[in-house]
Amino acid sequence: MNNEKEKEVDTESRAYKFAAGKGVMNLPNKLTVARMVMIPVFVFFFYFEFTAHYFVALAVFGVACLTDLFDGKIARKYNLVTNLGKFLDPIADKVLVLSALVIMLTVPSFFTANLGFWALIAAGCGVALILAREIIVSGFRMVAASSGTVIAADIFGKYKTVCQDIAIVVLIIGAGVSEITDHLAGVIVNYVGLAFFAFAVILTVISGVNYLVKNREVLTK
């Protein structure tokens, strides 16, 4: 099946040559590296205060998310999947999302809104759960790989990733609106973002438990 797919790729086309590049640093891997480089840029604009700096940070985060979308599509389309890409891509994704969540915790207004300090404590616990899930599942996959078992991503994992991204985007939009104007819209958007964040935490826990339960035989080997 893989051989048939490889024959369908025109390796002489300009598009393929551009995507393939030279050596292991093909276009998908370059996009992944670019995503990692954009993380400190995102953090910089998040903290460097000027009018609408949150929206600039959001733009950087959005572009970084788009690189995640395109690197996978290009790699599959032109059969450019490499071990370097398999290694870097999930790391870049996790570091991007976790960096965003952690720095947002340093600005209490992202999570407290009109809910009180307890909301910040709850948000901290939520971020801790997300971090713990990623560490546990990554370690679990390493153990499985060492025994020749490949653990595929489950549907809950995909949904939680989408919810995490949406929560981050909406929360930053809410903060950006509140920074520019005192309009109620900023508070409303913030509440929507908190709802997505809560849903993302729930899906994170479900996904983590589902991984361990479905693949518990890995720990018995």
Side-chain angles (χ1 to χ4, degrees), residues 21 26 53-54 78 89 115 117 128 157 164-165 179-181 194 196 202 215:
N26 53 39
H53 72 101
Y54 281 134
Y78 294 107
D89 187 62
L115 301 175
F117 188 71
Q164 286 174 1
D165 289 342
E179 185 182 41
I180 296 174
T181 176
L194 290 177
F196 273 105
I202 293 172
N215 303 283

Side-chain angles (χ1 to χ4, degrees), residues 2 20 33 39-40 114 123 137 144 154 157 163 166 187 212 220:
N2 288 334
V33 172
I39 294 172
N114 296 320
V137 170
D154 69 343
C163 280
I166 293 176
V187 177
L212 297 178
T220 63

